[in-house]
Amino acid sequence: RCAMDWKGRRQSDNIEDERGSSPMGGSGGGGFRFPGGGIGGGGLLATSGGLIFSGDGAGSLVAFNATDGKPLWNTRIGQITNAPQTFELDGHQYVICASGDTLWSFILH
């Protein structure tokens, strides 16, 4: 099963950079398989606290451990339509993400 990236290159469900290393840890070969059949659109957000946020193919926003790629948290909000973003307000860190015409906001503890 393949998809096209923004440059028109074919990509498999395994996410790897051009050197063959996985953005979710590990190197060479296998890459990382997202649950639900691939990235759910938008892009990835990596935090300095060791989390990676992305949509999955099942319509969920998922937080992964950046070291080992294990899912830590998820919520089903529908197909992700932008890259998750983060900001701080009044001493709290938030992650925001859009699904269709709805903007979702989550506070990180």
Side-chain angles (χ1 to χ4, degrees):
R1 190 168 177 227
C2 290
M4 301 299 274
D5 71 3
W6 66 276
K7 291 182 180 178
R9 298 178 298 199
R10 290 172 54 91
Q11 291 187 334
S12 69
D13 286 343
N14 286 336
I15 307 303
E16 296 180 11
D17 71 13
E18 293 177 18
R19 295 180 310 275
S21 63
S22 168
M24 303 300 264
S27 63
F32 176 81
R33 185 172 299 276
F34 277 82
I39 290 180
L44 301 171
L45 167 67
T47 70
S48 64
L51 298 175
I52 295 179
F53 289 88
S54 176
D56 69 6
S60 296
L61 176 63
V62 184
F64 297 94
N65 180 319
T67 304
D68 60 17
K70 291 182 181 174
L72 302 173
W73 171 87
N74 70 79
T75 184
R76 188 166 176 87
I77 61 174
Q79 188 67 28
I80 308 300
T81 55
N82 75 303
Q85 300 173 41
T86 186
F87 65 93
E88 184 180 340
L89 180 65
D90 296 331
H92 298 285
Q93 185 177 4
Y94 294 84
V95 171
I96 60 172
C97 191
S99 174
D101 62 355
T102 303
L103 181 64
W104 296 84
S105 176
F106 304 93
I107 191 168
L108 301 180
H109 294 282

